Amino acid sequence: MTKNHFDETLILTKAEEQIMQLLWEKERAFVNDLLEMMPEPKPAYNTVSTIVRILEQKSFVGHKKFGNAHQYFPLVSQSEYLSNSLTRLSSTYFQNSYANIVNFFAEEGKLRQKDIEEISELLDTLKHKKK
């Protein structure tokens, strides 16, 4: 997927993120396809349609017209959105420090021993690659 120039200051709502997750998984979908993929209780067709149109206005989603129907597809990759979200989180709450993020989770007791070991191994690998 090509890099899209979406507004990085935009924050998606929980409902918008749910639709984006489905589109990233499916790659292309009509509103009915999205509805079928959603858990119970399913929202109304018009609700999903409205959310998709909002995502289009935010430049996260594009569409291709098939008669009266629109097939939607993501314009922003999942990794782009994730990177932007983590960068925003880091700058807003952790003084642009990923170490502060890890420290926060460690102090909150959210890191299991296995997580700590995996992080340590990743850091060792990165150190060796930079040498």
Side-chain angles (χ1 to χ4, degrees), residues 18-19 22 31-48 51:
Q18 182 182 27
I19 297 296
L22 297 174
V31 171
N32 280 331
D33 298 330
L34 296 170
L35 267 170
E36 285 176 20
M37 296 172 70
M38 298 180 93
E40 295 291 343
K42 295 183 187 293
Y45 178 95
N46 287 344
T47 301
V48 175
I51 293 168

PDB file of all heavy atoms in Angstrom, residues 18-19 22 31-48 51:
ATOM      1  N   GLN A  18     -12.803   0.153  14.820  1.00  0.00           N
ATOM      2  CA  GLN A  18     -13.366  -1.183  14.591  1.00  0.00           C
ATOM      3  C   GLN A  18     -13.584  -1.412  13.093  1.00  0.00           C
ATOM      4  O   GLN A  18     -13.231  -2.472  12.569  1.00  0.00           O
ATOM      5  CB  GLN A  18     -14.685  -1.348  15.348  1.00  0.00           C
ATOM      6  CG  GLN A  18     -15.294  -2.726  15.185  1.00  0.00           C
ATOM      7  CD  GLN A  18     -16.629  -2.865  15.900  1.00  0.00           C
ATOM      8  OE1 GLN A  18     -17.351  -1.894  16.110  1.00  0.00           O
ATOM      9  NE2 GLN A  18     -16.970  -4.091  16.265  1.00  0.00           N
ATOM     10  N   ILE A  19     -14.112  -0.434  12.402  1.00  0.00           N
ATOM     11  CA  ILE A  19     -14.331  -0.547  10.955  1.00  0.00           C
ATOM     12  C   ILE A  19     -12.983  -0.652  10.233  1.00  0.00           C
ATOM     13  O   ILE A  19     -12.815  -1.469   9.319  1.00  0.00           O
ATOM     14  CB  ILE A  19     -15.144   0.652  10.416  1.00  0.00           C
ATOM     15  CG1 ILE A  19     -16.545   0.687  11.024  1.00  0.00           C
ATOM     16  CG2 ILE A  19     -15.204   0.635   8.888  1.00  0.00           C
ATOM     17  CD1 ILE A  19     -17.441  -0.474  10.681  1.00  0.00           C
ATOM     18  N   LEU A  22     -11.546  -4.106  10.426  1.00  0.00           N
ATOM     19  CA  LEU A  22     -12.214  -5.013   9.487  1.00  0.00           C
ATOM     20  C   LEU A  22     -11.720  -4.783   8.061  1.00  0.00           C
ATOM     21  O   LEU A  22     -11.478  -5.739   7.318  1.00  0.00           O
ATOM     22  CB  LEU A  22     -13.733  -4.838   9.566  1.00  0.00           C
ATOM     23  CG  LEU A  22     -14.373  -5.196  10.908  1.00  0.00           C
ATOM     24  CD1 LEU A  22     -15.854  -4.831  10.896  1.00  0.00           C
ATOM     25  CD2 LEU A  22     -14.166  -6.661  11.243  1.00  0.00           C
ATOM     26  N   VAL A  31     -20.495  -2.372   2.632  1.00  0.00           N
ATOM     27  CA  VAL A  31     -21.039  -2.192   3.983  1.00  0.00           C
ATOM     28  C   VAL A  31     -21.616  -3.500   4.504  1.00  0.00           C
ATOM     29  O   VAL A  31     -21.414  -3.864   5.669  1.00  0.00           O
ATOM     30  CB  VAL A  31     -22.078  -1.046   4.015  1.00  0.00           C
ATOM     31  CG1 VAL A  31     -22.801  -0.996   5.361  1.00  0.00           C
ATOM     32  CG2 VAL A  31     -21.408   0.297   3.721  1.00  0.00           C
ATOM     33  N   ASN A  32     -22.318  -4.250   3.658  1.00  0.00           N
ATOM     34  CA  ASN A  32     -22.889  -5.532   4.098  1.00  0.00           C
ATOM     35  C   ASN A  32     -21.804  -6.520   4.536  1.00  0.00           C
ATOM     36  O   ASN A  32     -22.000  -7.279   5.488  1.00  0.00           O
ATOM     37  CB  ASN A  32     -23.755  -6.160   2.998  1.00  0.00           C
ATOM     38  CG  ASN A  32     -25.132  -5.547   2.936  1.00  0.00           C
ATOM     39  OD1 ASN A  32     -25.660  -5.088   3.942  1.00  0.00           O
ATOM     40  ND2 ASN A  32     -25.716  -5.531   1.751  1.00  0.00           N
ATOM     41  N   ASP A  33     -20.666  -6.522   3.839  1.00  0.00           N
ATOM     42  CA  ASP A  33     -19.542  -7.386   4.230  1.00  0.00           C
ATOM     43  C   ASP A  33     -19.055  -7.019   5.630  1.00  0.00           C
ATOM     44  O   ASP A  33     -18.778  -7.890   6.459  1.00  0.00           O
ATOM     45  CB  ASP A  33     -18.368  -7.250   3.256  1.00  0.00           C
ATOM     46  CG  ASP A  33     -18.712  -7.668   1.838  1.00  0.00           C
ATOM     47  OD1 ASP A  33     -19.571  -8.550   1.664  1.00  0.00           O
ATOM     48  OD2 ASP A  33     -18.105  -7.100   0.902  1.00  0.00           O
ATOM     49  N   LEU A  34     -18.934  -5.718   5.871  1.00  0.00           N
ATOM     50  CA  LEU A  34     -18.480  -5.250   7.181  1.00  0.00           C
ATOM     51  C   LEU A  34     -19.468  -5.656   8.271  1.00  0.00           C
ATOM     52  O   LEU A  34     -19.064  -6.128   9.338  1.00  0.00           O
ATOM     53  CB  LEU A  34     -18.286  -3.728   7.169  1.00  0.00           C
ATOM     54  CG  LEU A  34     -17.201  -3.210   6.231  1.00  0.00           C
ATOM     55  CD1 LEU A  34     -17.271  -1.690   6.116  1.00  0.00           C
ATOM     56  CD2 LEU A  34     -15.830  -3.656   6.694  1.00  0.00           C
ATOM     57  N   LEU A  35     -20.743  -5.499   7.983  1.00  0.00           N
ATOM     58  CA  LEU A  35     -21.783  -5.881   8.949  1.00  0.00           C
ATOM     59  C   LEU A  35     -21.705  -7.363   9.293  1.00  0.00           C
ATOM     60  O   LEU A  35     -21.820  -7.736  10.461  1.00  0.00           O
ATOM     61  CB  LEU A  35     -23.173  -5.568   8.392  1.00  0.00           C
ATOM     62  CG  LEU A  35     -23.753  -4.215   8.756  1.00  0.00           C
ATOM     63  CD1 LEU A  35     -25.007  -3.935   7.956  1.00  0.00           C
ATOM     64  CD2 LEU A  35     -24.012  -4.124  10.240  1.00  0.00           C
ATOM     65  N   GLU A  36     -21.491  -8.197   8.285  1.00  0.00           N
ATOM     66  CA  GLU A  36     -21.395  -9.646   8.513  1.00  0.00           C
ATOM     67  C   GLU A  36     -20.227  -9.996   9.424  1.00  0.00           C
ATOM     68  O   GLU A  36     -20.309 -10.949  10.194  1.00  0.00           O
ATOM     69  CB  GLU A  36     -21.240 -10.383   7.181  1.00  0.00           C
ATOM     70  CG  GLU A  36     -22.503 -10.472   6.370  1.00  0.00           C
ATOM     71  CD  GLU A  36     -22.275 -11.135   5.012  1.00  0.00           C
ATOM     72  OE1 GLU A  36     -21.267 -11.855   4.846  1.00  0.00           O
ATOM     73  OE2 GLU A  36     -23.115 -10.922   4.117  1.00  0.00           O
ATOM     74  N   MET A  37     -19.149  -9.240   9.332  1.00  0.00           N
ATOM     75  CA  MET A  37     -17.949  -9.516  10.116  1.00  0.00           C
ATOM     76  C   MET A  37     -18.057  -9.028  11.562  1.00  0.00           C
ATOM     77  O   MET A  37     -17.254  -9.422  12.405  1.00  0.00           O
ATOM     78  CB  MET A  37     -16.734  -8.856   9.455  1.00  0.00           C
ATOM     79  CG  MET A  37     -16.403  -9.404   8.082  1.00  0.00           C
ATOM     80  SD  MET A  37     -15.120  -8.430   7.260  1.00  0.00           S
ATOM     81  CE  MET A  37     -13.680  -8.862   8.245  1.00  0.00           C
ATOM     82  N   MET A  38     -19.009  -8.173  11.833  1.00  0.00           N
ATOM     83  CA  MET A  38     -19.123  -7.555  13.150  1.00  0.00           C
ATOM     84  C   MET A  38     -19.802  -8.491  14.148  1.00  0.00           C
ATOM     85  O   MET A  38     -20.679  -9.265  13.782  1.00  0.00           O
ATOM     86  CB  MET A  38     -19.873  -6.226  13.058  1.00  0.00           C
ATOM     87  CG  MET A  38     -19.144  -5.219  12.195  1.00  0.00           C
ATOM     88  SD  MET A  38     -20.002  -3.662  12.059  1.00  0.00           S
ATOM     89  CE  MET A  38     -19.203  -2.816  13.406  1.00  0.00           C
ATOM     90  N   PRO A  39     -19.377  -8.406  15.421  1.00  0.00           N
ATOM     91  CA  PRO A  39     -19.992  -9.246  16.445  1.00  0.00           C
ATOM     92  C   PRO A  39     -21.397  -8.761  16.802  1.00  0.00           C
ATOM     93  O   PRO A  39     -21.757  -7.621  16.513  1.00  0.00           O
ATOM     94  CB  PRO A  39     -19.046  -9.090  17.641  1.00  0.00           C
ATOM     95  CG  PRO A  39     -18.413  -7.745  17.446  1.00  0.00           C
ATOM     96  CD  PRO A  39     -18.318  -7.554  15.950  1.00  0.00           C
ATOM     97  N   GLU A  40     -22.140  -9.635  17.420  1.00  0.00           N
ATOM     98  CA  GLU A  40     -23.468  -9.271  17.928  1.00  0.00           C
ATOM     99  C   GLU A  40     -23.293  -8.419  19.181  1.00  0.00           C
ATOM    100  O   GLU A  40     -22.337  -8.619  19.916  1.00  0.00           O
ATOM    101  CB  GLU A  40     -24.270 -10.541  18.253  1.00  0.00           C
ATOM    102  CG  GLU A  40     -24.596 -11.404  17.047  1.00  0.00           C
ATOM    103  CD  GLU A  40     -25.602 -10.781  16.097  1.00  0.00           C
ATOM    104  OE1 GLU A  40     -26.321  -9.827  16.494  1.00  0.00           O
ATOM    105  OE2 GLU A  40     -25.664 -11.224  14.944  1.00  0.00           O
ATOM    106  N   PRO A  41     -24.165  -7.516  19.464  1.00  0.00           N
ATOM    107  CA  PRO A  41     -25.254  -7.051  18.611  1.00  0.00           C
ATOM    108  C   PRO A  41     -24.715  -6.157  17.492  1.00  0.00           C
ATOM    109  O   PRO A  41     -23.903  -5.274  17.736  1.00  0.00           O
ATOM    110  CB  PRO A  41     -26.135  -6.254  19.575  1.00  0.00           C
ATOM    111  CG  PRO A  41     -25.197  -5.764  20.628  1.00  0.00           C
ATOM    112  CD  PRO A  41     -24.117  -6.799  20.741  1.00  0.00           C
ATOM    113  N   LYS A  42     -25.144  -6.462  16.290  1.00  0.00           N
ATOM    114  CA  LYS A  42     -24.664  -5.717  15.121  1.00  0.00           C
ATOM    115  C   LYS A  42     -25.331  -4.343  15.061  1.00  0.00           C
ATOM    116  O   LYS A  42     -26.512  -4.217  15.361  1.00  0.00           O
ATOM    117  CB  LYS A  42     -24.965  -6.496  13.847  1.00  0.00           C
ATOM    118  CG  LYS A  42     -24.197  -7.816  13.767  1.00  0.00           C
ATOM    119  CD  LYS A  42     -24.473  -8.523  12.458  1.00  0.00           C
ATOM    120  CE  LYS A  42     -23.862  -9.899  12.424  1.00  0.00           C
ATOM    121  NZ  LYS A  42     -22.424  -9.928  12.427  1.00  0.00           N
ATOM    122  N   PRO A  43     -24.565  -3.338  14.666  1.00  0.00           N
ATOM    123  CA  PRO A  43     -25.174  -2.012  14.487  1.00  0.00           C
ATOM    124  C   PRO A  43     -26.057  -1.999  13.241  1.00  0.00           C
ATOM    125  O   PRO A  43     -26.003  -2.913  12.417  1.00  0.00           O
ATOM    126  CB  PRO A  43     -23.965  -1.091  14.315  1.00  0.00           C
ATOM    127  CG  PRO A  43     -22.880  -1.975  13.821  1.00  0.00           C
ATOM    128  CD  PRO A  43     -23.150  -3.340  14.379  1.00  0.00           C
ATOM    129  N   ALA A  44     -26.818  -0.955  13.094  1.00  0.00           N
ATOM    130  CA  ALA A  44     -27.671  -0.793  11.916  1.00  0.00           C
ATOM    131  C   ALA A  44     -26.806  -0.529  10.682  1.00  0.00           C
ATOM    132  O   ALA A  44     -25.699   0.017  10.789  1.00  0.00           O
ATOM    133  CB  ALA A  44     -28.641   0.368  12.127  1.00  0.00           C
ATOM    134  N   TYR A  45     -27.307  -0.935   9.532  1.00  0.00           N
ATOM    135  CA  TYR A  45     -26.620  -0.708   8.253  1.00  0.00           C
ATOM    136  C   TYR A  45     -26.242   0.767   8.115  1.00  0.00           C
ATOM    137  O   TYR A  45     -25.117   1.093   7.749  1.00  0.00           O
ATOM    138  CB  TYR A  45     -27.536  -1.138   7.100  1.00  0.00           C
ATOM    139  CG  TYR A  45     -26.931  -0.908   5.735  1.00  0.00           C
ATOM    140  CD1 TYR A  45     -26.259  -1.929   5.074  1.00  0.00           C
ATOM    141  CD2 TYR A  45     -27.031   0.327   5.095  1.00  0.00           C
ATOM    142  CE1 TYR A  45     -25.693  -1.726   3.819  1.00  0.00           C
ATOM    143  CE2 TYR A  45     -26.471   0.537   3.846  1.00  0.00           C
ATOM    144  CZ  TYR A  45     -25.807  -0.494   3.212  1.00  0.00           C
ATOM    145  OH  TYR A  45     -25.247  -0.277   1.982  1.00  0.00           O
ATOM    146  N   ASN A  46     -27.203   1.666   8.404  1.00  0.00           N
ATOM    147  CA  ASN A  46     -26.956   3.107   8.255  1.00  0.00           C
ATOM    148  C   ASN A  46     -25.843   3.594   9.169  1.00  0.00           C
ATOM    149  O   ASN A  46     -25.091   4.501   8.818  1.00  0.00           O
ATOM    150  CB  ASN A  46     -28.230   3.911   8.508  1.00  0.00           C
ATOM    151  CG  ASN A  46     -29.219   3.777   7.367  1.00  0.00           C
ATOM    152  OD1 ASN A  46     -28.869   3.348   6.274  1.00  0.00           O
ATOM    153  ND2 ASN A  46     -30.463   4.130   7.629  1.00  0.00           N
ATOM    154  N   THR A  47     -25.703   2.997  10.333  1.00  0.00           N
ATOM    155  CA  THR A  47     -24.634   3.372  11.265  1.00  0.00           C
ATOM    156  C   THR A  47     -23.277   3.045  10.666  1.00  0.00           C
ATOM    157  O   THR A  47     -22.368   3.887  10.658  1.00  0.00           O
ATOM    158  CB  THR A  47     -24.811   2.639  12.614  1.00  0.00           C
ATOM    159  OG1 THR A  47     -26.086   2.976  13.159  1.00  0.00           O
ATOM    160  CG2 THR A  47     -23.708   2.996  13.595  1.00  0.00           C
ATOM    161  N   VAL A  48     -23.131   1.829  10.144  1.00  0.00           N
ATOM    162  CA  VAL A  48     -21.860   1.416   9.531  1.00  0.00           C
ATOM    163  C   VAL A  48     -21.572   2.276   8.303  1.00  0.00           C
ATOM    164  O   VAL A  48     -20.449   2.736   8.099  1.00  0.00           O
ATOM    165  CB  VAL A  48     -21.879  -0.086   9.173  1.00  0.00           C
ATOM    166  CG1 VAL A  48     -20.607  -0.487   8.435  1.00  0.00           C
ATOM    167  CG2 VAL A  48     -22.067  -0.932  10.433  1.00  0.00           C
ATOM    168  N   ILE A  51     -20.296   5.655   9.410  1.00  0.00           N
ATOM    169  CA  ILE A  51     -18.922   5.581   9.914  1.00  0.00           C
ATOM    170  C   ILE A  51     -17.936   5.479   8.749  1.00  0.00           C
ATOM    171  O   ILE A  51     -16.896   6.148   8.743  1.00  0.00           O
ATOM    172  CB  ILE A  51     -18.752   4.405  10.897  1.00  0.00           C
ATOM    173  CG1 ILE A  51     -19.568   4.663  12.164  1.00  0.00           C
ATOM    174  CG2 ILE A  51     -17.282   4.183  11.233  1.00  0.00           C
ATOM    175  CD1 ILE A  51     -19.701   3.450  13.078  1.00  0.00           C
TER     176      ILE A  51
END
